[in-house]
């Protein structure tokens, strides 16, 4: 609701100007001003009232001349709707403290997960997999806050684009030294400047700002997809490293057994020093590979924590799911065609192109100059004069050719960038599809080899139990099976990475899961 105030100003505040007022107005008389203030400056109303007294023209001229400060005061009262500056300094220590408080045990995180359909019986979470970490990343990751802040800036630009130009107000006071015959020596006047935009420029500005705002809004989804893609890659790397460590620990143990058996056979004169040296060399290589993989774990965990928007300590205290399912079905042709038109970056590029078209229309509209209407009134030595003026910029030296050319070139650039983006999407889609298909075939081949090796290992176990094979041969077959398992693990990791690239190409999960919605923006300054 607007605020209504009443101000009384003693006329003594105008000093020597009192002698020009009618004698009936005494010095103790108060000037009464009523004004309404609202958040919209255009709705602020001011009404200043003097006691009604009959005055002659000369008295009127003196009154207007001496009360120009009063008119300025009334104009200043209209500024009651202006905003004040509020400082929001950044405190690095507080930002670090807020980030360190990110926890998977957060009640707000659990409420968000429930709102996205996570089952109630899933709490407390025993093992955090891709679904759970994606929800946590969408809740905590600051990249989404940055994207939302950019959208808010674009929305603020929409307000700027829709603003109408403010009118102007000017006054003039002249004193003539040669005035006689009872004519007032004063010329007093005021005029308004009312700008009028032509060519529908305001609507075009608003259209351009709306297109840029749409592009910024789409980029929020783009940021969310990038977070998920990066999280899936790093989770796959961490999981595969854990599995490689487990396989290498088994390999180190098996090679240690082989070295002990070779040492026993060397002592019995059944093998040479070369056989023992080769066994020790292979055992050392396995130990070095194990140490190298174990050294990668802290960095991989830190990278996974960054992808989820969490401090590393938050993931050190939880159990992570050690496996990730890989879908076997490739996207159909309809889904691939949809990727060429509905990818987030393609939609954002279309919005930017629409903004460039609006920019060109705006520059073309600027060929037609805006006009300013100037109605005014003056009291000229006893004569009341009304006037109406009109002003504009004459387009004599240029017709805005330069900005039009720049806007046209920018539109052409946006069009070429869109064509390049779509061609790149087609290429990425074809390459990622072929890479994923090859990775699936490689994984299937490695699994067949592992199955054959397991069958051979089972046969060797039966031979060992029957006395047809010794322990060294049994251990060697187990080692061969372990190497086949390592091959399957490497093939599955390549398939997971190819899957991420294919999902990036179509920007949709291939396991038919719906992406969760990001939570409402949190005020990071509070």
């Amino acid at each position: 609701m607007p605020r209504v105030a009443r101000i009384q100003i003693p006329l003594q505040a105008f000093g020597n100007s009192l002698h020009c007022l009618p004698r009936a107005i005494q010095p103790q008389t108060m000037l009464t001003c009523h004004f309404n203030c609202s958040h919209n400056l255009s709705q602020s109303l001011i009404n200043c009232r003097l006691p009604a007294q009959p005055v002659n023209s000369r008295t009127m001229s003196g009154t207007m001349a001496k009360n120009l400060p009063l008119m300025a005061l009334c104009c200043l009262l209209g500024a009651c709707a202006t905003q004040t500056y509020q400082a929001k300094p950044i405190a690095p220590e507080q930002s670090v403290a807020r980030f360190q408080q990110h926890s998977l045990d957060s009640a707000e995180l659990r409420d968000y997960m429930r709102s996205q359909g996570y089952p109630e019986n899933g709490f407390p979470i025993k093992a955090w997999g891709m679904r759970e970490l994606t929800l946590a990343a969408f809740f905590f990751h600051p990249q989404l806050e940055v994207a939302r802040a950019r959208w808010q800036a674009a929305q603020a630009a929409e307000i700027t684009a829709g603003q109408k130009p403010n009118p102007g107000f000017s006054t003039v006071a002249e004193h003539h030294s040669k005035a006689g015959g009872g004519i007032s020596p004063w010329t007093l006047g005021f005029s308004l400047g009312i700008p009028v935009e032509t060519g529908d420029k305001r609507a075009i500005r608003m259209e351009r700002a709306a297109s840029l705002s749409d592009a910024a809004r789409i980029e929020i989804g783009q940021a969310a997809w990038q977070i998920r893609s990066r999280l899936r890659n790093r989770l796959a790397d961490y999981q595969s490293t854990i599995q490689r460590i487990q396989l290498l620990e088994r390999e180190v143990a098996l090679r240690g057994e082989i070295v002990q058996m070779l040492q026993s056979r060397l002592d019995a004169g059944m093998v040479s020093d070369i056989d023992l040296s080769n066994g020790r060399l292979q055992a050392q290589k396995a130990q070095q590979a194990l140490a190298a993989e174990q050294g990668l774990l802290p960095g991989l965990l830190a990278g996974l924590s960054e992808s989820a928007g969490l401090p590393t300590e938050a993931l050190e205290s939880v159990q992570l799911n050690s496996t990730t399912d890989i879908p076997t079905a490739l996207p159909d042709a309809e889904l691939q065609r949809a990727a060429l038109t509905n990818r987030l970056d393609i939609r954002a590029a279309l919005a930017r192109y629409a903004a460039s078209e609006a920019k060109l229309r705006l520059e073309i509209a600027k060929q037609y100059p805006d006009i300013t209407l100037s109605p005014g009134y003056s009291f000229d030595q006893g004569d009341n004069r009304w006037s109406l003026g009109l002003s504009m910029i004459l387009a004599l030296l240029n017709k805005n050719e330069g900005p039009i050319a720049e806007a046209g070139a920018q539109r052409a650039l946006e069009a070429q960038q869109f064509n390049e983006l779509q061609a790149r999407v087609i290429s990425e889609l074809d390459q990622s599809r072929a890479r994923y298909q090859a990775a699936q075939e490689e994984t299937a081949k490695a699994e067949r080899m592992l199955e054959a090796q397991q069958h051979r290992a089972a046969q060797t176990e039966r031979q060992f139990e029957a006395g047809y094979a010794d322990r060294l041969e049994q251990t060697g077959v187990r080692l061969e099976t372990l190497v086949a398992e390592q091959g399957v693990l490497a093939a599955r990791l390549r398939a997971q990475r190819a899957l991420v690239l294919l999902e990036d190409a179509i920007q949709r999960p291939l396991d038919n899961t719906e992406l969760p919605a990001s939570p409402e923006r949190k005020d990071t300054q509070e």
Side-chain angles (χ1 to χ4, degrees):
M1 294 293 295
R3 300 186 299 276
V4 181
R6 180 175 181 267
I7 295 179
Q8 290 187 335
I9 305 174
L11 291 176
Q12 291 92 330
F14 296 96
N16 295 331
S17 64
L18 291 174
H19 75 275
C20 295
L21 295 175
R23 294 183 182 273
I25 301 179
Q26 299 301 321
Q28 67 272 15
T29 303
M30 307 295 288
L31 172 68
T32 302
C33 292
H34 297 274
F35 61 95
N36 299 331
C37 293
S38 68
H39 292 290
N40 188 346
L41 185 58
S42 63
Q43 296 177 358
S44 298
L45 302 176
I46 301 175
N47 181 18
C48 296
R49 178 171 55 84
L50 280 169
Q53 294 290 340
V55 295
N56 56 33
S57 61
R58 183 176 182 85
T59 304
M60 183 63 183
S61 64
T63 302
M64 293 184 63
K66 300 303 182 180
N67 285 284
L68 286 177
L70 174 61
M71 299 172 64
L73 173 64
C74 294
C75 293
L76 291 176
L77 292 177
C80 62
T82 56
Q83 301 182 21
T84 59
Y85 170 73
Q86 295 181 352
K88 284 191 176 182
I90 295 178
E93 297 82 4
Q94 296 179 6
S95 300
V96 172
R98 282 194 298 269
F99 180 76
Q100 294 296 334
Q101 291 174 358
H102 291 179
S103 172
L104 296 177
D105 296 328
S106 168
E108 292 81 3
L109 173 61
R110 292 191 177 187
D111 292 340
Y112 167 65
M113 295 177 72
R114 292 187 184 97
S115 69
Q116 298 303 312
Y118 196 82
E120 185 66 31
N121 57 9
F123 297 103
I125 300 175
K126 297 180 180 179
W128 289 75
M130 184 62 194
R131 181 185 180 186
E132 293 80 9
L133 290 176
T134 300
L135 289 167
F138 282 8
F139 187 79
F140 287 120
H141 207 288
Q143 185 178 350
L144 282 174
E145 299 293 338
V146 174
R148 277 190 285 264
R150 287 175 178 165
W151 183 37
Q152 289 186 342
Q155 288 178 311
E158 289 189 79
I159 299 176
T160 302
Q163 285 182 338
K164 296 180 180 180
N166 287 319
F169 177 79
S170 62
T171 62
V172 62
E174 298 179 357
H175 185 273
H176 301 268
S177 60
K178 296 180 180 182
I183 299 177
S184 172
W186 289 98
T187 297
L188 306 173
F190 68 88
S191 63
L192 298 176
I194 304 175
V196 178
E197 285 189 304
T198 61
D200 210 16
K201 297 184 184 69
R202 177 173 173 268
I204 299 175
R205 286 198 308 270
M206 294 175 63
E207 180 181 343
R208 179 174 182 267
S211 297
L212 293 176
S213 178
D214 287 342
R217 177 181 54 81
I218 294 171
E219 287 172 357
I220 298 177
Q222 182 76 2
W225 180 261
Q226 291 172 356
I227 290 172
R228 180 189 181 276
S229 176
R230 189 163 57 245
L231 179 65
R232 187 175 186 109
N233 261 328
R234 292 181 177 177
L235 180 60
D237 290 341
Y238 183 81
Q239 291 171 337
S240 62
T241 301
I242 292 291
Q243 295 174 17
R244 280 198 301 270
I245 289 175
Q246 294 172 351
L247 292 177
L248 285 172
E249 288 175 345
R250 291 170 53 193
E251 181 180 355
V252 168
L254 288 175
R255 291 194 181 278
E257 293 178 8
I258 291 175
V259 169
Q260 291 178 358
M261 286 185 284
L262 289 175
Q263 182 66 50
S264 299
R265 293 195 177 193
L266 178 64
D267 295 340
M270 299 175 62
V271 296
S272 65
D273 291 336
I274 297 177
D275 296 329
L276 179 60
S277 297
N278 288 334
R280 287 175 175 172
L281 180 61
Q282 295 300 324
Q284 290 176 359
K285 288 183 178 180
Q287 291 173 351
Q288 292 173 355
L290 175 60
E293 293 294 331
Q294 290 174 338
L296 293 176
L297 273 182
L300 291 174
L301 185 62
L304 181 60
S305 302
E306 186 278 330
S307 299
L310 295 166
T312 305
E313 295 79 8
L315 290 185
E316 289 177 344
S317 58
V318 299
Q319 179 69 32
L320 296 177
N321 195 344
S322 59
T323 59
T324 300
D325 296 332
I326 302 177
T328 57
L330 288 173
D332 54 21
E334 181 179 355
L335 187 60
Q336 296 181 61
R337 285 193 299 268
L340 300 179
T341 56
N342 293 329
R343 266 184 44 150
L344 293 171
D345 50 0
I346 287 181
R347 290 165 54 191
L350 287 173
R352 288 192 295 269
Y353 179 77
S356 67
E357 279 204 317
K359 175 65 174 177
L360 178 57
R361 289 170 52 202
L362 179 61
E363 297 301 337
I364 291 177
K366 287 182 180 179
Q367 295 179 106
Y368 307 99
D370 299 333
I371 62 176
T372 302
L373 300 177
S374 303
Y377 166 78
S378 64
F379 179 81
D380 187 5
Q381 294 183 305
D383 185 18
N384 296 316
R385 300 175 61 183
W386 299 90
S387 63
L388 177 62
L390 185 146
S391 63
M392 68 178 66
I393 297 176
L394 297 179
L396 297 179
L397 302 181
N398 70 83
K399 300 288 187 181
N400 207 39
E401 296 92 350
I404 291 175
E406 290 183 18
Q410 184 64 34
R411 184 181 67 171
L413 174 61
E414 292 290 346
Q416 294 303 324
Q417 288 177 341
F418 175 80
N419 293 335
E420 186 269 339
L421 173 62
Q422 203 168 41
R424 187 170 70 248
V425 169
I426 295 174
S427 177
E428 288 178 359
L429 185 58
D430 293 340
Q431 292 181 21
S432 59
R433 180 184 174 88
R435 189 181 293 112
Y436 183 59
Q437 190 170 6
Q440 283 186 315
E441 294 175 356
E442 180 185 1
T443 302
K445 183 178 180 180
E447 290 174 347
R448 288 194 298 269
M449 293 177 61
L450 174 60
E451 184 179 357
Q453 181 59 35
Q454 289 173 341
H455 178 73
R456 181 185 172 191
Q459 185 178 6
T460 303
E461 290 290 341
R462 290 193 297 269
Q463 292 176 352
F464 176 76
E465 292 175 359
Y468 295 105
D470 58 15
R471 185 169 297 278
L472 181 60
E473 185 177 357
Q474 179 195 37
T475 306
V477 172
R478 289 179 179 176
L479 184 59
E480 291 176 1
T481 305
L482 183 61
V483 173
E485 291 179 8
Q486 292 174 344
V488 171
L489 177 61
R492 287 179 177 175
L493 177 60
R494 286 189 288 270
Q496 286 186 3
R497 290 176 175 171
L499 172 65
V500 173
L501 293 176
L502 182 56
E503 288 183 337
D504 286 344
I506 62 177
Q507 290 191 346
R508 179 177 295 185
L510 289 179
D511 53 3
N512 295 323
T513 59
E514 293 292 335
L515 286 178
S518 60
E520 294 297 326
R521 181 179 185 272
K522 303 181 289 295
D523 191 355
T524 58
Q525 295 297 324
E526 295 180 353

